Amino acid sequence: MRRTMASIPLALAAALCCGAALAQEAASFTQLSACRIDAERILLRATFDGSPCWAVEPAQLAEPRGTIVAVHLATTSTAEICTMNIVPVSTEQVIEAPEPIADLDVTAAAPRNDVVAHGVIAVSEGQGDCLVARG
């Protein structure tokens, strides 16, 4: 019986260690908005922390789940050697997301596909007002 009791603190420590590692989540976007342009298209604006040597590729959309669709923003490296600075990485893209899509589940990934930002945003009804320049 003594042997079983001795292993409990070790098992508890292992569980706490692994739980902490799994609890880490991707950072949130510093800016995320989605606005319906028309019945077929949405303007997505996103900003997240990343490298000065990242370029955002065209958004990839998954199959919609009801009124929500997953959007993946992949990045590519624009240089072989880059500084370790963290800078805002921004993108503004028109995506094909026909009605009744009302929410976007957006993920941004580093060039090696590590998730760097995640957020869910409701699509606002702009009907063309989305295209007004932000200042």
Side-chain angles (χ1 to χ4, degrees):
M1 182 78 167
R2 187 156 182 63
R3 182 179 247 174
T4 306
M5 296 297 283
S7 63
I8 290 175
L10 179 61
L12 183 60
L16 289 174
C17 174
C18 295
L22 294 174
Q24 292 179 346
E25 295 182 10
S28 297
F29 285 89
T30 54
Q31 188 271 329
L32 183 63
S33 67
C35 183
R36 183 157 297 283
I37 298 169
D38 57 34
E40 300 296 319
R41 301 175 301 152
I42 294 172
L43 176 65
L44 173 65
R45 291 182 174 120
T47 302
F48 54 94
D49 291 335
S51 168
C53 298
W54 288 356
V56 180
E57 295 187 337
Q60 300 169 346
L61 279 65
E63 283 295 316
R65 298 179 318 258
T67 61
I68 191 167
V69 68
V71 179
H72 183 73
L73 299 172
T75 59
T76 57
S77 183
T78 59
E80 286 187 36
I81 299 174
C82 191
T83 67
M84 295 296 288
N85 295 340
I86 295 176
V87 300
V89 177
S90 296
T91 187
E92 182 174 294
Q93 298 185 28
V94 175
I95 59 173
E96 299 292 326
E99 292 179 339
I101 299 298
D103 299 290
L104 303 179
D105 184 348
V106 186
T107 302
R112 291 189 178 173
N113 211 27
D114 300 323
V115 175
V116 294
H118 177 258
V120 177
I121 186 77
V123 177
S124 65
E125 293 298 324
Q127 298 298 330
D129 296 338
C130 303
L131 301 177
V132 176
R134 290 188 152 183

